[in-house]
Each structure stands twice: as C-alpha cells, then as structure tokens.
Amino acid sequence: MITERLPYPRANGVLLVIAGIVHILAPRLLLKMAEKGYKMALAVDFTPNSRSTRRVRAVGIGMVLAGLHLLYHGSN
C-alpha cells in the first residue's frame, strides 16, 4: 500500500487543471511543439494523424479530473 503523499497536493492539482485545459483548448499547438521537439531532440519524424487531436484532448480531460480530485481531496 502506498502511503507517501505529495508535499503540496492542492498546488499540484492547480497545475494539473491548467495543463489539462491547455491540452483541451490547444491540442494542435501541443502536437506541433511535440513534432519539433522530437525532430530536434531525438532526430526522428513525428507526424500526428487525424485522431491525434482527439487523443490529446482526452488526456487533457483526464488531467483536469485528476487535478480537481487533488483540489477537492488534497490537504496541505
């Protein structure tokens, strides 16, 4: 059983909510940044397909839900 807690769960919750909102509102920008980052750092081609924006938004929804959970249940 894991009993270790994050030092600032509410702050982490806020960060997750903000990151999730960015994923929901600007998935194409994030995919473009990932494409450039992969090319520069890893020297590989990354070409998002037609379903990529939907997947990025789905990840964003999960991040928002996890952040809201930390905001509601977290305690400092």
Side-chain angles (χ1 to χ4, degrees), residues 47-76:
T47 52
N49 62 24
S50 60
R51 297 178 299 196
S52 297
T53 57
R54 194 173 344 146
R55 290 179 180 160
V56 171
R57 284 190 176 120
V59 168
I61 290 170
M63 292 171 81
V64 168
L65 292 174
L68 290 175
H69 175 80
L70 283 174
L71 284 172
Y72 185 75
H73 292 290
S75 60
N76 288 333

Side-chain angles (χ1 to χ4, degrees), residues 5-70:
R5 293 183 178 253
L6 296 171
Y8 302 103
R10 291 186 192 258
N12 291 324
V14 169
L15 292 175
L16 270 174
V17 169
I18 292 169
I21 290 172
V22 171
H23 277 72
I24 293 167
L25 296 179
R28 288 181 187 90
L29 173 65
L30 293 174
L31 287 168
K32 193 60 138 172
M33 290 171 56
E35 187 176 357
K36 290 184 184 211
Y38 271 64
K39 190 170 285 189
M40 287 175 30
L42 302 174
V44 296
D45 289 331
F46 170 73
T47 52
N49 62 24
S50 60
R51 297 178 299 196
S52 297
T53 57
R54 194 173 344 146
R55 290 179 180 160
V56 171
R57 284 190 176 120
V59 168
I61 290 170
M63 292 171 81
V64 168
L65 292 174
L68 290 175
H69 175 80
L70 283 174

